[in-house]
Structure formats: structure tokens, C-alpha cells
Amino acid sequence: MTSQRPAAQPKSVLRGHKAQVHSAAFIRHNQRLASGDAEGFVVLWDLTIMRPRAVWRAHQSAILGIEGWGDDKVITHGRDNRLIVWKLGEGDEAALSTALPLDQSVSDRRQPWVLHILEVNTMNFCSFASCPANPDLPASSEELLVAVPNTLSTEAIESKGAQIGMVMTLSLFWLEGFLTLVAAYENGLAMVARLGRNSQSSWEVIYKTQCHSQPILSLDVPSNRAYFLTSGADAIIAKHPIPHPHADLLGKQKAPGTNKSKSPHIPSSSDIPESSKSHDKKPESSATSPSLSSPSPSALSSALASEPNPPRSPEASPLPLQTAPLKTVNTKHAGQQGLRIRSDGKIFATAGWDAKVRVYSTKTLAELAVLKWHGMGCYAIAFAMVDGGGGSGEGEHANEDSKSEDGCSAPEQGVAPLSKARTGGELSVKDRRLKQAREAHWLAAGSKDGRISLWDIY
């Protein structure tokens, strides 16, 4: 006789959203989970007690994206054509409501302080992407570049005279001194473009392929920038190369699919999502919140034209256009979105329209686990940061050298050290919860049922 292993169950379920959960993000060293729903509500969950710490209505329509900025700011992007930067440090939480959206007896919830408001285009359901304004700055820097679809044209590029549809998802980052944009489109096309290093430079498309037959719903890039993954309304999951600017100088072989006979298409200013630069400001005493002016329709190159270029290595020669993905897999499961790669680069997960969360290997794209708890379709995935999050670590054992003599991990920068109880030298109950929140390998899945399931993965 063979015994069947019982189905995995979530470690915790967060209930409180009345509408479907569209986005989620772990912030403040995994101590908080921010979730946004289809009615514009944001809930900031305290993962040490699994309770809300702040609840407010950030937008008048569905939230497309949410992410933390440092330890005291949260960025939300809504379908009401606004992108908002909120001041929300731990000290700001006490003044905010903890009444969940399900509690309809509460008609008015106080909002956090608004630092910036940017008018953006949200006709195509594409969330924003961001990165530091300078390649030498950390992700928590005081300046950000924000990329959103063009306010006048929802299409990205044209191919042989045919429109390829709306931009569906974006990623923005620096790669060897070049500002690099990964974009995916409604017709299943994915591309990588890089911006030259001087103010007169234009965008150069260095990778372009169409291996999806239906709209691409999500993409993600690991921290080492070696590749990116896409999932869509079809059953395909694809792994794509990100051409490195100095690969030819390092003597690396050219990737398969290199097109030697054609020069890469250079997008015009309306071809690439536009960008705005966010400058962090302290709250004014006035009741009117500071806001960012809406940029004129232009490419990221125009947004950066007035910025001094930091000293970098010599300009790299143009890269040949690559057109072949590294690997594609037909998963037989259509409608996977919210794709996210864990910080150690070992696994990724998708949220399925069939209510299942699927976990895959980034190396082989093989399915590792299927997590079934929700009764309705899933839309959002978020991974907590794990040790060795730079992509080269070994998960929970990556930071052995950083442990103190008592066996506890040394605190990260900006993270308060854990205190010891007076008796026995053991952690207090509060600190044990805090340690669990920081170190658990959480995977959060948001569903159409308004619930968020928390799973402890590998």
C-alpha cells in the first residue's frame, strides 16, 4: 500500500480585502506585507502578529502595482491614472486606521502623508517599474526613475507596419552602466532595450522575440540580471537572455538567435514607456501635499537629458540583435500571471487563473510544487527576501559568516537587533515572532476571493 502525502497548506491566511487582491509586496525586511485590491484599498500587514497595521484607500480604482521605497515610503499605482508615493514608516502607522476593507461600518480612513503624485496612463493595466536614478545608488536611494506606458500611445513599437498592441508589463534597471528596459506586449512579444550614456543617445533594441501566442501577463528579472522570465494568457513560460553590453569585450560567445544581417530597430520617442524622476522630500507643514509635475510625452532619454552622466567605462559598441529565447516550456496551464523570482534566484512562482500557485525551478523551468488552497483565481505573487538574496547565496545557509557568537544572524543595516529575555538568554516572545517574520521563506498569493495565503517555501 502506498500512502499519499497530504496536500500542502498555507501557514497563515490573511482575510480582510472585500475585492480581489491585485498586488502584494514584502517591505521593511519582511516585517510587513503590503497588499492592494481592485477597489483601491491598501492593507499593511504586520507579519509578526498577522494583523493589519494600516488600512487606507489609496486610489479610486484598482491598484495595479505596489512596492516599498526604503523603510519609510510606499509607492502605489492605480487605475485612476495616478502614481502616489506615501510616507509610511513604522512611526506613522499608529495614526492610521486598522479597520479592514471588509468592515463597511468605517466610512472614512485617514491616509498617510502624500509625498508625490504623478499623473500617468493606466489604460492598459500595466504597472510601473522603477530603479535608482544613478547606477551607483542603492535601491533605497532618495531618487528614483519611474517608467510607465506612454501617455499618448499605448503601443510600444511597430513591426513591419503592424501594431503589436499595448505594453503589458515592464522592468527597469541598470546593467553595466546602461539604463535597461525590459518590456512585454499584448501580442506576446518581449524585448530588451538599452539607453546610450549621453544625453543625445536613443534607445537601442538588443533583444526581441515572440514566443507567446497570447498577451504576456507578467515578467521578472533576477538580481544578477542574467535573464528574464515571462508568463502569459497562454500556457507558455519562457526564459530570455539579457545581452550584456561588454559581453563581446569579455570574449563571451554570442547567444543563439543573433541576427547579423539586420541592424536593431531604434524606437522613436513615442515607442518606449516614459519615465519620471522622484525626489524624496520631507513633509511640508501645509496641508497640501507636494506633487510631481506630469512629464511631457517622451522617452526615458528625454527625461534624463538634463542629468549629468556619472563617470563610467568607455561606450560599448552596438550589440547585435538577438531573437531567440533561452528556453520555452508549455506548462499545459493557461493564464499564469504575477510571476516573481525569489531573491536567491533559485525558484519562481506564478498565480494561476485556475486558483493554483505553481512553483518552478529557474534553472530548468521544471514545475516543483502546486499550491492549492484558494477557491477562485489568483492574481498576485510576492516573495519575501531570503538570505543570499544576491543570487549567489545558498538560501538559509548563505550568511553563516554573519552570525554572532550566540548563533543569531547579525542584523542588517537599518534593522534593530533582537534583544534577549532576562532569563535563560533566550529570545522573548516578541523577538521570536520578529525573527520568524524576517527569516521565513514566505510566498504570498493574492486571490480573487480577497484573501492572501502565506506559504513557507523551501
Side-chain angles (χ1 to χ4, degrees):
M1 296 179 64
T2 58
S3 59
Q4 211 171 23
R5 180 182 296 180
Q9 294 294 312
K11 293 291 185 180
S12 185
V13 177
L14 305 177
R15 298 171 171 87
H17 286 283
K18 186 175 65 172
Q20 56 200 39
V21 178
H22 276 184
S23 58
F26 287 89
I27 64 174
R28 296 195 214 148
H29 311 281
N30 303 340
Q31 295 180 48
R32 298 287 187 270
L33 174 68
S35 57
D37 67 26
E39 293 184 349
F41 280 96
V42 172
V43 179
L44 195 65
W45 304 91
D46 185 339
L47 297 182
T48 63
I49 58 175
M50 302 299 173
R51 296 287 185 272
R53 285 293 190 185
V55 181
W56 77 99
R57 191 169 192 184
H59 298 272
Q60 296 304 308
S61 189
I63 290 180
L64 298 174
I66 187 168
E67 70 178 41
W69 181 6
D71 287 335
D72 61 349
K73 293 179 288 295
V74 172
I75 307 174
T76 61
H77 186 186
R79 286 219 70 212
D80 56 1
N81 298 309
R82 300 205 303 175
L83 186 147
I84 305 177
V85 180
W86 308 88
K87 182 182 181 299
L88 189 57
E90 187 174 356
D92 302 309
E93 296 173 355
L96 302 177
S97 173
T98 57
L100 289 162
L102 278 173
D103 187 354
Q104 300 186 39
S105 65
V106 180
S107 59
D108 187 26
R109 295 173 178 82
R110 184 175 178 179
Q111 292 184 332
W113 188 273
V114 175
L115 293 175
H116 308 291
I117 298 177
L118 181 67
E119 301 295 331
V120 295
N121 168 38
T122 54
M123 292 183 63
N124 51 354
F125 301 92
C126 179
S127 180
F128 74 104
S130 68
C131 72
N134 186 298
D136 300 321
L137 296 176
S140 59
S141 64
E142 298 300 302
E143 293 181 295
L144 281 184
L145 291 175
V146 175
V148 296
N150 194 285
T151 54
L152 297 183
S153 175
T154 57
E155 296 83 11
I157 61 174
E158 295 184 359
S159 177
K160 297 181 180 179
Q163 297 293 328
I164 64 173
M166 298 185 293
V167 182
M168 300 297 291
T169 178
L170 299 168
S171 182
L172 185 69
F173 52 90
W174 293 96
L175 181 61
E176 298 183 18
F178 287 88
L179 189 60
T180 305
L181 179 74
V182 179
Y185 302 99
E186 189 178 16
N187 77 331
L189 182 141
M191 61 161 275
V192 180
R194 69 172 185 175
L195 183 63
R197 288 171 168 165
N198 61 67
S199 59
Q200 305 303 317
S201 297
S202 58
W203 286 90
E204 173 193 5
V205 177
I206 55 179
Y207 172 75
K208 183 168 63 174
T209 194
Q210 184 174 356
C211 52
H212 290 270
S213 60
Q214 296 188 44
I216 296 177
L217 301 176
S218 57
L219 69 83
D220 201 14
V221 181
S223 56
N224 63 7
R225 314 302 187 206
Y227 60 89
F228 70 99
L229 300 172
T230 57
S231 66
D234 55 14
I236 298 296
I237 287 179
K239 187 174 186 178
H240 309 264
I242 299 178
H244 280 232
H246 299 113
D248 52 342
L249 300 180
L250 297 175
K252 297 180 181 179
Q253 294 181 350
K254 288 181 170 55
T258 298
N259 188 334
K260 299 180 180 179
S261 61
K262 296 181 181 179
S263 60
H265 168 72
I266 307 298
S268 65
S269 62
S270 63
D271 288 336
I272 297 295
E274 59 193 34
S275 170
S276 297
K277 195 170 190 179
S278 297
H279 298 271
D280 187 25
K281 299 180 181 179
K282 295 183 178 179
E284 307 276 347
S285 57
S286 168
T288 303
S289 61
S291 64
L292 295 175
S293 60
S294 180
S296 58
S298 62
L300 278 168
S301 53
S302 300
L304 296 173
S306 61
E307 297 300 316
N309 291 311
R312 302 178 190 132
S313 57
E315 187 84 16
S317 59
L319 292 175
L321 178 64
Q322 295 185 25
T323 58
L326 299 173
K327 188 179 183 66
T328 60
V329 172
N330 187 341
T331 66
K332 311 295 185 182
H333 306 292
Q336 297 185 67
Q337 64 181 67
L339 186 153
R340 289 294 177 266
I341 302 172
R342 196 167 68 177
S343 59
D344 62 0
K346 294 181 177 181
I347 61 174
F348 69 96
T350 61
W353 294 350
D354 60 1
K356 296 177 182 178
V357 175
R358 291 180 170 84
V359 181
Y360 298 89
S361 163
T362 55
K363 184 177 181 180
T364 65
L365 304 189
E367 185 180 280
L368 302 177
V370 179
L371 309 177
K372 177 69 172 74
W373 183 85
H374 295 278
M376 306 176 76
C378 295
Y379 297 126
I381 290 290
F383 272 114
M385 181 75 69
V386 301
D387 291 342
S392 58
E394 294 296 328
E396 59 187 342
H397 303 295
N399 290 339
E400 291 292 335
D401 294 339
S402 66
K403 290 188 177 181
S404 59
E405 293 180 0
D406 56 17
C408 295
S409 297
E412 300 176 58
Q413 184 177 3
V415 180
L418 299 174
S419 60
K420 294 294 184 70
R422 292 184 178 180
T423 60
E426 296 180 354
L427 295 174
S428 65
V429 173
K430 178 181 178 181
D431 285 341
R432 282 201 300 271
R433 290 176 176 172
L434 186 59
K435 187 174 186 291
Q436 166 69 10
R438 290 180 186 172
E439 298 179 359
H441 291 187
W442 291 126
L443 183 158
S447 171
K448 187 177 180 180
D449 59 17
R451 300 171 184 176
I452 301 168
S453 56
L454 283 174
W455 309 77
D456 196 352
I457 302 294
Y458 310 114

